Amino acid sequence: MNGSSVKRGFIIIILLLLFVTNVFAQSADSSASGTLPASTTSSSSVVGSATPQTSTASSSTSSTPSKPLLTEGSGQDLTKSYDWLLTTSLSTTASIQDQALTLLALLTRGGREKDIVPLIEKLLESQDKTANCWPDGQCTVKDTAFAYLVLQKAGKKDTSAIKTWLQSSLIGGLRTGGEWRIQIEATEKDGTCSLSWGQNKKKEVKLKKGELDGTSNKYYLNIVTDLHDSTLFSLPNSHIMVDCSALGSDTVGTGIVISLLYAKTPTELYILQSTQGSTADLSLSNGCFGEGQHSSKCVYESTLYASWALVEAGEKLQDYGTQSYLETALDADDLHKAVLVRTLLTDGTLSSNSFVNSLVQSQRPGDGSWKSGDILTTAWAAFALSKSEFQENVQNARLFLQRKQSEDGSWDGSLRKTALALLAVKGELSSTIISTTGVVPVKGTDVTGAGASAENTEKSCNDLKDNDGDGLIDCGDLDCSSSDDCRCDNGVADTGEIGIDCGGTCTKSCETDDQSSAANEEGKGAGKSECASTDECGSGEECKKGKCITPLESSSICKTDKDCGDTESCTDGTCVSSGSSSSSSLTWIFIVVGVLVVLLGGAFFYLKFVKTGKITLFKKKNNGLSFEEFRRSAETSRPAPQQRPQFQRPTARPGKHSSEDEELDKSLKEAEKLLKEP
């Protein structure tokens, strides 16, 4: 092995050592940062299929995430978020949707009834009092639906006029572009099926050996070409009665299946309804919403958000007939898919498997987000899947939201993102009855509250009873706002307050929800905020830095090392043991130093001994003669030089030698001398 080969080998070894060191370093960094586990999903379901699929996505089977979930028990961050949401919404001019989502988040949390009243009044101010819609003068379906949902969740009873406005905004949706079909499966049966719809409209179809006779297709009816009635699609929710009792008994299990299908394309088929038996009531869910009440063109977002709001308010999607349009017109936007999944899961009567599986598969395994880290889409997806079995996917999404939370408690300083993130943490919408001096403004009604009975007020503010029947008790009722029992400076946790003179009906925020609720606990150490040891704390609490906190708080999200225990440090927003962190750092320092020592020692050994020939690392192979032996052999075997021809001196001329002759003689002698030299 020559010197260049040794050098090349030495360089390769160095590169391999550096590569291995880099791999181990990356592995250690990944473990320390608490990278989220990938959610393992597998599904072959077709996106958009309205029928349950046989294959379902499976949630990740990894262990509990390395960071605690973003919950109200995890420190002050959520309290800051709700405070930011309330303060910002009161001090800014927000859109109807932002106002509505803010109110939904605050209503779901509860305990801020008094603070919520100005926000509801602000929302009511922007209503069109004549048309009962939002906003005043330019009502839209989307804004009206959001406002309707808020007022429903706030316990407002007189919202029927708003609901009527939305119902009157429905139009027929799937009128062109696809094909509506009625499929009758009756194996090897002969007979007649009758179809009826509208005002005494009927049609009979014959079957021979289970196949349709006299129709455009022997396996199904095309509603447009075979029934010849275009008015079926001018209404959002037409019905067609199918009676095939002449083929067999009108019972389940007779081998007759009647289905309603929608073919968006020849290869994309949606099963909207399927009935096993000889009779069926088929509902053409052909509804959609436009931009406003008198729109003639479907708008997907208007239909999507209006359907979601109506379902969250307790309505059923089939009553509005928007399911077919929502499913068949769905695009590739994960935000739209998340809202649709939430709508279907909340409705509870419609199939949602394929859409749920598709949404789960869209989650990024690296950070738990959707749509390349989009906060709004991720919040909507977590909010939607909170009603599904994929709870680990929801947890990973909440961890992503936790990491994206700003110092002031908001998400990107946006009302909409912050409200949706808080709803994603809760996973559910809650109702809280809010008592205001006004009522839901409806045409022809007194909205000033002047007609309210003076006797219908809270008579006692400390008896834990609802004296006026408005659903609010003691300090939670505005009638008690001036009572001495409901003051926010009396050092007592009155009814309606989360803690002592803070939270709930008080504008002052409590330090943490856990510390506030601890004041009402019974038992050893209950309600103590300061401690010298864990023995002085309540059940399930630990003493950290002189304060009683729950174990969840000790591992909660943090901003600085001060938020962690004495032996912990804040790393990537999580309190981790400082000892383990420093020990890991020292280990890697020793590894790096060791590698450098080996490399430097190897380089010194090679330059000092190997390169100079003092030590031979590899035994040389016998490749024949050495260079010196080859040279000597070549000299001894060199052939004898050939006899060079001799120049004959020309015959001298008689007489005197000229100068030319002398020069010629001199040149000949020099040439002869050169020829004699070896």
Side-chain angles (χ1 to χ4, degrees):
M1 180 180 291
N2 56 31
S4 61
S5 298
V6 173
K7 289 182 179 179
R8 284 195 297 270
F10 189 72
I11 293 173
I12 291 174
I13 292 173
I14 293 175
L15 292 175
L16 287 174
L17 287 172
L18 291 175
F19 174 77
V20 172
T21 303
N22 184 55
V23 169
F24 275 106
Q26 290 181 353
S27 176
D29 290 340
S30 176
S31 301
S33 62
T35 302
L36 291 173
S39 296
T40 305
T41 59
S42 64
S43 173
S44 59
S45 60
V46 179
V47 176
S49 175
T51 58
Q53 302 298 314
T54 56
S55 59
T56 59
S58 59
S59 60
S60 174
T61 57
S62 61
S63 59
T64 304
S66 58
K67 290 186 178 181
L69 292 180
L70 184 61
T71 61
E72 292 212 58
S74 62
Q76 302 182 31
D77 288 353
L78 286 188
T79 302
K80 290 170 60 178
S81 299
Y82 286 111
D83 289 343
W84 182 91
L85 202 60
L86 180 63
T87 303
T88 305
S89 58
L90 286 172
S91 60
T92 60
T93 302
S95 66
I96 301 297
Q97 295 172 52
D98 288 349
Q99 291 182 57
L101 289 170
T102 296
L103 280 164
L104 289 173
L106 294 171
L107 287 168
T108 299
R109 189 202 188 200
R112 306 295 289 266
E113 290 83 0
K114 185 183 296 185
D115 297 332
I116 294 174
V117 169
L119 293 180
I120 293 183
E121 293 177 343
K122 184 178 180 180
L123 179 65
L124 293 174
E125 288 174 0
S126 60
Q127 183 190 20
D128 188 321
K129 308 302 189 299
T130 302
N132 303 305
C133 55
W134 278 262
D136 188 12
Q138 47 183 356
C139 291
T140 66
V141 169
K142 195 190 306 186
D143 287 338
T144 303
F146 271 92
Y148 171 71
L149 176 59
V150 168
L151 297 178
Q152 279 284 312
K153 293 299 181 181
K156 300 304 179 183
K157 299 178 181 179
D158 198 0
T159 56
S160 57
I162 305 173
K163 178 181 174 181
T164 300
W165 188 92
L166 289 170
Q167 290 174 330
S168 63
S169 301
L170 271 174
I171 58 176
L174 301 173
R175 290 167 287 184
T176 59
E179 184 177 275
W180 290 83
R181 302 173 180 177
I182 297 176
Q183 180 175 284
I184 302 174
E185 300 176 68
T187 307
E188 298 297 322
K189 290 184 180 292
D190 296 334
T192 302
C193 292
S194 63
L195 289 78
S196 59
W197 67 95
Q199 296 293 327
N200 300 321
K201 295 183 179 181
K202 295 183 179 180
K203 181 179 179 63
E204 290 189 350
V205 293
K206 294 181 179 180
L207 284 84
K208 292 183 178 180
K209 294 184 178 181
E211 296 181 355
L212 295 171
D213 185 32
T215 59
S216 59
N217 190 289
K218 61 182 180 180
Y219 298 111
Y220 60 84
L221 287 164
N222 186 312
I223 294 179
V224 174
T225 59
D226 292 325
L227 299 188
H228 307 288
D229 188 357
S230 60
T231 61
L232 281 169
F233 300 102
S234 62
L235 300 175
N237 217 0
S238 300
H239 286 258
I240 300 177
M241 294 296 300
V242 181
D243 186 359
C244 295
S245 55
L247 300 179
S249 175
D250 187 13
T251 59
V252 176
T254 58
I256 302 176
V257 179
I258 304 173
S259 303
L260 176 65
L261 313 175
Y262 180 77
K264 185 176 181 180
T265 66
T267 59
E268 189 175 354
L269 188 66
Y270 295 82
I271 303 176
L272 304 177
Q273 190 176 341
S274 184
T275 302
Q276 187 172 1
S278 57
T279 61
D281 180 8
L282 303 180
S283 175
L284 300 180
S285 299
N286 187 39
C288 72
F289 289 97
E291 188 72 28
Q293 188 176 36
H294 303 293
S295 300
S296 59
K297 181 181 179 181
C298 295
V299 176
Y300 191 81
E301 284 204 350
S302 295
T303 308
L304 180 65
Y305 288 107
S307 299
W308 165 73
L310 288 165
V311 169
E312 292 281 8
E315 302 292 319
K316 290 298 180 183
L317 203 59
Q318 286 184 334
D319 295 336
Y320 293 82
T322 58
Q323 175 196 2
S324 301
Y325 173 74
L326 289 175
E327 293 180 351
T328 58
L330 178 66
D331 54 20
D333 192 338
D334 284 338
L335 176 60
H336 293 162
K337 190 183 300 178
V339 181
L340 176 60
V341 167
R342 175 73 189 189
T343 304
L344 295 175
L345 290 176
T346 303
D347 181 276
T349 63
L350 303 172
S351 174
S352 58
N353 289 0
S354 61
F355 298 102
V356 172
N357 295 338
S358 177
L359 182 62
V360 169
Q361 290 178 343
S362 299
Q363 186 178 26
R364 293 200 334 184
D367 60 4
S369 72
W370 273 266
K371 207 172 178 179
S372 301
D374 183 70
I375 293 175
L376 190 63
T377 302
T378 302
W380 261 113
F383 183 50
L385 293 176
S386 63
K387 283 183 168 287
S388 73
E389 61 183 10
F390 302 103
Q391 292 306 301
E392 189 157 356
N393 298 82
V394 175
Q395 292 178 7
N396 289 345
R398 288 172 177 170
L399 287 172
F400 168 81
L401 294 174
Q402 172 184 317
R403 294 191 296 271
K404 294 298 181 179
Q405 189 180 20
S406 302
E407 290 289 336
D408 60 3
S410 72
W411 276 265
D412 284 352
S414 165
L415 284 173
R416 187 171 305 187
K417 292 179 181 179
T418 303
L420 255 304
L422 292 172
L423 289 176
V425 173
K426 285 287 189 180
E428 191 58 78
L429 291 181
S430 301
S431 299
T432 302
I433 298 177
I434 303 297
S435 176
T436 60
T437 56
V439 296
V440 179
V442 180
K443 183 178 180 180
T445 62
D446 181 9
V447 299
T448 63
S453 173
E455 297 180 358
N456 190 25
T457 58
E458 193 76 13
K459 297 178 180 180
S460 176
C461 297
N462 60 3
D463 59 356
L464 299 178
K465 294 181 180 180
D466 180 13
N467 298 298
D468 55 2
D470 62 355
L472 302 175
I473 299 174
D474 294 347
C475 298
D477 197 318
L478 285 180
D479 297 334
C480 296
S481 59
S482 59
S483 172
D484 290 338
D485 295 321
C486 300
R487 291 171 52 187
C488 294
D489 58 356
N490 57 5
V492 179
D494 300 309
T495 304
E497 297 178 0
I498 296 178
I500 299 176
D501 296 336
C502 65
T505 56
C506 296
T507 57
K508 179 184 176 182
S509 299
C510 300
E511 183 176 357
T512 65
D513 289 332
D514 287 339
Q515 290 177 348
S516 302
S517 59
N520 298 321
E521 293 182 359
E522 295 181 0
K524 179 182 177 180
K528 295 196 65 169
S529 60
E530 298 182 356
C531 60
S533 65
T534 302
D535 294 335
E536 298 180 10
C537 299
S539 177
E541 293 181 327
E542 296 177 359
C543 186
K544 292 285 187 178
K545 289 194 172 184
K547 291 186 179 182
C548 293
I549 57 177
T550 61
L552 179 62
E553 289 175 320
S554 64
S555 60
S556 63
I557 53 179
C558 57
K559 301 298 183 182
T560 64
D561 291 344
K562 296 180 180 180
D563 298 331
C564 303
D566 294 330
T567 60
E568 296 176 326
S569 62
C570 187
T571 304
D572 293 333
T574 305
C575 294
V576 297
S577 175
S578 301
S580 61
S581 177
S582 59
S583 176
S584 176
S585 300
L586 289 175
T587 301
W588 280 106
I589 291 175
F590 285 131
I591 291 175
V592 172
V593 172
V595 170
L596 290 175
V597 170
V598 171
L599 292 177
L600 292 175
F604 176 81
F605 179 84
Y606 171 78
L607 295 174
K608 184 70 175 178
F609 298 102
V610 178
K611 188 174 182 180
T612 57
K614 295 180 179 180
I615 295 178
T616 303
L617 294 178
F618 305 97
K619 185 178 180 181
K620 296 182 179 180
K621 295 182 179 180
N622 186 10
N623 294 325
L625 298 177
S626 64
F627 177 80
E628 188 63 25
E629 292 174 340
F630 176 80
R631 186 179 65 80
R632 293 174 182 173
S633 174
E635 288 180 352
T636 56
S637 60
R638 183 184 299 173
Q642 296 181 359
Q643 186 70 29
R644 294 187 178 92
Q646 299 289 327
F647 291 95
Q648 293 183 357
R649 189 188 300 266
T651 304
R653 296 178 183 177
K656 230 175 176 184
H657 293 289
S658 63
S659 59
E660 287 96 3
D661 292 336
E662 289 177 357
E663 288 291 329
L664 179 60
D665 288 341
K666 185 177 180 180
S667 298
L668 289 174
K669 288 180 181 180
E670 289 177 355
E672 185 177 358
K673 183 179 180 180
L674 290 172
L675 289 173
K676 290 180 180 181
E677 290 180 0

